[in-house]
């Protein structure tokens, strides 16, 4: 659990060296006009408050707000004790009151804390429906006298510290940035990003919101990407001032792991719209704003996945095909390539193996690119129609045990050059091991031809009249047709 205070936020901003704006507060001062009293007096010229008894001595209607006073963080009483050591400050609600004690000097009462300590079960009533705040003599000693320099209520900060994007030394992919006109443009509908815009990274859970003030010149929106480990969560900015409450917005997109993007954010960047291009927007300002002083944020910690034991009796893919440089044991985001260079020139020839077993997060969806004659791409839809038949695009998913096995014997030629995660915000996890087996798969018979009476189905359950070479279900048994 993480609780962030204004002091922590200010320290973090100083370390970042980024532009910030100070938070604002408002003060409501007691006026001391038309006051009433019981066993007390008020001298407006000398600002002197006196009381004569040790019971029921009050200076009322001093001009402080009443009703709902929850927007006020503290009450400040600046006074000099002339005789006696203290006097009372009463918070009334429905004829009853809660009592605080003012002493010589500047007294700062944090209302919620002070009143809750006195009346933990009903202090809220005094904040939500306060009839009056008044001064009262000390119930222990009398007479007494105090000079009241000032009495006021002060609001909570109405805004937090702001950290502005600097747009210094930005990098881009299919985008441009014109610093003179603050113009951001993008030329394609895919992978168009304006990066390194100077916003904080790492733990950004201290920030309540991201504000993007922009004017759309062409198009209707652009994206704001929150990166973590190569994956990202996407928000959409439209014409005008966009205020994104980070915890709420990111949790709605990724309820199971939004905390990772707040606790370990790699970068926040702008990106063109993936639907329409080209596009153009004038960026008036982009900034993160911390939680105000009266608010805190509760973000769950990151729970690391425990590495499972490697199953016995397999060949390790990384030993068999080191040239593909598989990235295993790394927590993966959407669409991030796990294995391979996505190149038709660097492949693992799996024709000598009968199965590929993936050990990963339970329920993890994966994509295998097999039999490639073209370079692997992250989306099957990106291939040209002319490439049809030059690759096998397999969707697989691990079970509750975290295992998924692909039968390689069904492919006349089995070459693997890429394994990746689909683009699915809820689909993230770790691929721990890639394992291989050689030999003949149990229960598979090799035959040279089929009899007319045989009933033949392919692996999708479709009946086949004249099977070609490959793996089929013949009379209920797996059979290789040569």
């Amino acid at each position: 659990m993480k609780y962030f205070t204004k002091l922590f936020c200010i320290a973090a901003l100083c370390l970042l060296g980024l532009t910030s704006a100070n938070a604002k507060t408002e003060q409501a001062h007691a006026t001391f006009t038309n006051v009433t009293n019981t066993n007390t007096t008020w001298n407006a010229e000398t600002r002197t408050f006196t009381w004569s008894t040790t019971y029921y001595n009050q200076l009322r209607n001093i001009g402080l707000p009443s009703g709902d006073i929850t927007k006020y963080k503290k009450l400040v009483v600046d006074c000099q004790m002339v005789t006696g050591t203290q006097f009372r400050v009463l918070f009334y609600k429905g004829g009853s009151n809660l009592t605080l004690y003012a002493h010589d000097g500047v007294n700062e009462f944090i209302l919620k804390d002070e009143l809750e300590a006195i009346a933990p079960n009903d202090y809220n009533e005094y904040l939500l429906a306060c009839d009056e705040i008044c001064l009262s003599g000390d119930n222990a000693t009398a007479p007494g006298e105090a000079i009241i320099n000032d009495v006021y209520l002060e609001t909570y900060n109405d805004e937090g510290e702001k950290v502005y994007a600097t747009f210094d030394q930005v990098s881009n992919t299919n985008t441009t940035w014109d610093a003179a006109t603050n113009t951001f443009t993008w030329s394609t509908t895919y992978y168009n990003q304006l990066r390194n815009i100077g916003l904080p990274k790492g733990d950004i859970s201290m920030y309540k919101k991201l504000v993007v003030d922009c004017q759309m010149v062409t198009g209707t929106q652009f994206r704001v990407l929150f990166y973590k480990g190569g994956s990202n969560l996407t928000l959409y900015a439209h014409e005008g001032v966009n205020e994104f409450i980070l915890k709420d917005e990111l949790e709605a997109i990724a309820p199971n792991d939004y905390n990772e993007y707040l606790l370990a954010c790699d970068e926040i960047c702008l990106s063109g719209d993936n639907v329409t291009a080209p596009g153009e927007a004038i960026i008036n300002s982009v900034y993160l704003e911390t939680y105000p002083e009266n608010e805190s944020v509760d973000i769950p910690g990151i729970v690391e996945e425990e590495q499972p034991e490697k199953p016995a009796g397999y060949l390790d893919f990384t030993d068999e095909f080191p040239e593909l440089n598989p990235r295993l044991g790394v927590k993966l985001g959407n669409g991030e390539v796990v294995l391979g260079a996505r190149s038709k020139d660097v492949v693992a020839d799996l024709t000598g193996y009968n199965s590929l077993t993936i050990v990963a997060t339970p329920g993890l969806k994966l994509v295998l690119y097999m039999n490639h004659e073209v370079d692997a791409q992250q989306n099957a839809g990106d291939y040209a129609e002319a490439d049809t038949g030059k690759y096998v695009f397999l969707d697989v998913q691990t079970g509750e045990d975290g295992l998924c096995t692909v039968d390689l014997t069904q492919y006349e030629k089995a070459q693997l050059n890429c394994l990746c995660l689909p683009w699915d915000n809820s689909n993230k996890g770790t691929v721990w091991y890639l394992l291989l087996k050689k030999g003949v798969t149990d229960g598979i018979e090799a035959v040279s031809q089929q009899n007319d009476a045989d009933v033949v189905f392919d692996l999708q359950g479709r009946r086949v009249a004249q099977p070609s070479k490959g793996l089929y279900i013949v009379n209920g048994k797996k059979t290789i047709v040569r």
Side-chain angles (χ1 to χ4, degrees):
M1 303 297 181
K2 290 183 175 281
Y3 296 91
F4 299 99
T5 64
K6 183 179 179 183
L7 180 60
F8 178 84
C9 296
I10 293 174
L13 297 182
C14 291
L15 288 175
L16 289 168
L18 298 175
T19 305
S20 65
N22 292 327
K24 298 177 181 178
T25 57
E26 296 180 0
Q27 296 175 353
H29 293 260
T31 59
F32 292 96
T33 55
N34 302 319
V35 295
T36 65
N37 62 76
T38 304
N39 298 325
T40 65
T41 61
W42 170 251
N43 186 320
E45 184 175 343
T46 62
R47 302 190 67 84
T48 301
F49 164 48
T50 61
W51 58 97
S52 59
T53 68
T54 57
Y55 185 71
Y56 196 58
N57 35 34
Q58 298 177 352
L59 186 67
R60 310 196 68 154
N61 305 319
I62 62 177
L64 285 176
S66 59
D68 185 345
I69 60 170
T70 53
K71 72 175 182 179
Y72 297 102
K73 177 182 180 180
K74 61 185 177 183
L75 173 73
V76 178
V77 179
D78 182 359
C79 63
Q80 296 170 257
M81 297 304 303
V82 180
T83 59
T85 60
Q86 65 182 17
F87 58 88
R88 296 178 297 155
V89 182
L90 306 181
F91 287 76
Y92 268 96
K93 191 266 176 184
S96 63
N97 67 72
L98 299 181
T99 303
L100 303 180
Y101 290 90
H103 301 86
D104 190 80
V106 178
N107 301 259
E108 292 194 1
F109 303 105
I110 305 302
L111 294 185
K112 179 180 180 298
D113 297 343
E114 299 274 3
L115 300 184
E116 185 176 11
I118 299 170
N121 296 323
D122 59 1
Y123 76 95
N124 57 314
E125 297 179 17
Y126 291 86
L127 293 175
L128 293 169
C130 176
D131 292 334
E132 184 185 23
I133 303 171
C134 70
L135 306 185
S136 184
D138 185 10
N139 270 357
T141 59
E145 183 177 327
I147 297 172
I148 309 298
N149 298 315
D150 200 1
V151 178
Y152 62 88
L153 288 167
E154 184 172 287
T155 61
Y156 284 91
N157 296 341
D158 62 356
E159 58 183 14
E161 303 288 337
K162 297 175 182 177
V163 179
Y164 288 85
T166 58
F167 293 94
D168 294 332
Q169 300 178 343
V170 295
S171 64
N172 62 76
T173 302
N174 299 323
T175 66
T176 61
W177 171 253
D178 187 330
T181 60
N182 290 337
T183 301
F184 163 49
T185 60
W186 58 97
S187 57
T188 67
T189 56
Y190 186 71
Y191 197 60
N192 35 32
Q193 298 177 353
L194 185 67
R195 311 197 70 155
N196 307 320
I197 63 176
L199 286 175
K201 58 184 179 179
D203 187 342
I204 61 168
S205 56
M206 70 189 75
Y207 298 101
K208 177 178 182 179
K209 62 184 176 182
L210 174 75
V211 178
V212 180
D213 182 358
C214 64
Q215 297 169 255
M216 298 303 304
V217 180
T218 59
T220 59
Q221 65 181 18
F222 58 87
R223 296 177 298 152
V224 183
L225 306 181
F226 287 75
Y227 268 96
K228 190 268 175 183
S231 64
N232 67 75
L233 297 182
T234 303
L235 303 179
Y236 291 89
H238 301 87
E239 172 79 22
V241 178
N242 302 259
E243 292 195 1
F244 303 105
I245 305 300
L246 295 185
K247 180 180 181 296
D248 296 344
E249 297 274 1
L250 299 185
E251 186 176 12
I253 299 171
N256 296 324
D257 59 1
Y258 75 95
N259 58 316
E260 298 180 16
Y261 292 85
L262 292 175
L263 295 171
C265 177
D266 292 334
E267 183 184 14
I268 303 170
C269 71
L270 306 185
S271 186
D273 185 10
N274 268 356
V275 179
T276 58
E280 182 177 329
I282 297 173
I283 309 298
N284 298 318
S285 66
V286 177
Y287 61 87
L288 288 167
E289 185 174 305
T290 62
Y291 281 83
E293 194 175 68
N294 64 314
E295 295 184 44
S296 62
V297 60
D298 186 2
I299 303 295
I302 298 174
V303 178
E304 298 296 340
E305 187 177 359
E306 185 176 352
Q307 182 172 353
E309 292 186 9
K310 182 188 295 186
Y314 291 88
L315 299 171
D316 197 312
F317 187 100
T318 57
D319 295 334
E320 299 288 298
F321 300 100
E323 64 274 13
L324 265 72
N325 189 29
R327 300 174 60 192
L328 304 179
V330 178
K331 192 171 181 67
L332 301 163
N334 302 330
E336 181 176 347
V337 173
V338 180
L339 167 69
R342 296 169 60 189
S343 168
K344 64 182 179 181
D345 299 320
V346 183
V347 296
D349 186 352
L350 305 180
T351 52
Y353 304 86
N354 67 4
S355 67
L356 169 68
T357 296
I358 303 166
V359 182
T361 301
L364 186 66
K365 298 176 185 178
L366 298 160
V367 174
L368 302 177
Y369 294 89
M370 301 277 291
N371 295 356
H372 260 274
E373 297 177 31
V374 292
D375 292 334
Q377 299 174 50
Q378 288 187 325
N379 296 300
D382 291 338
Y383 289 103
E385 186 175 346
D387 293 327
T388 302
K390 295 181 180 179
Y391 62 91
V392 178
F393 182 82
L394 292 179
D395 289 305
V396 296
Q397 184 171 8
T398 57
E400 293 182 0
D401 58 359
L403 299 178
C404 174
T405 298
V406 177
D407 183 358
L408 299 173
T409 62
Q410 63 182 296
Y411 302 104
E412 183 176 354
K413 178 179 68 173
Q415 293 182 343
L416 174 68
N417 75 336
C418 183
L419 181 154
C420 77
L421 297 179
W423 291 95
D424 177 354
N425 281 325
S426 63
N427 181 51
K428 298 174 185 177
T430 305
V431 175
W432 295 105
Y433 309 107
L434 295 175
L435 305 171
L436 294 165
K437 272 194 174 181
K438 287 184 175 180
V440 178
T441 304
D442 293 341
I444 298 180
E445 299 179 0
V447 298
S448 57
Q449 60 182 10
Q450 301 302 126
N451 298 321
D452 293 339
D454 291 335
V455 179
V456 183
F457 295 91
D458 64 17
L459 296 181
Q460 284 73 44
R462 297 170 296 195
R463 187 162 183 169
V464 179
Q466 295 181 337
S468 57
K469 292 181 180 181
L471 182 64
Y472 296 88
I473 307 299
V474 180
N475 299 329
K477 297 181 179 180
K478 287 185 178 180
T479 304
I480 298 174
V481 177
R482 302 189 185 283

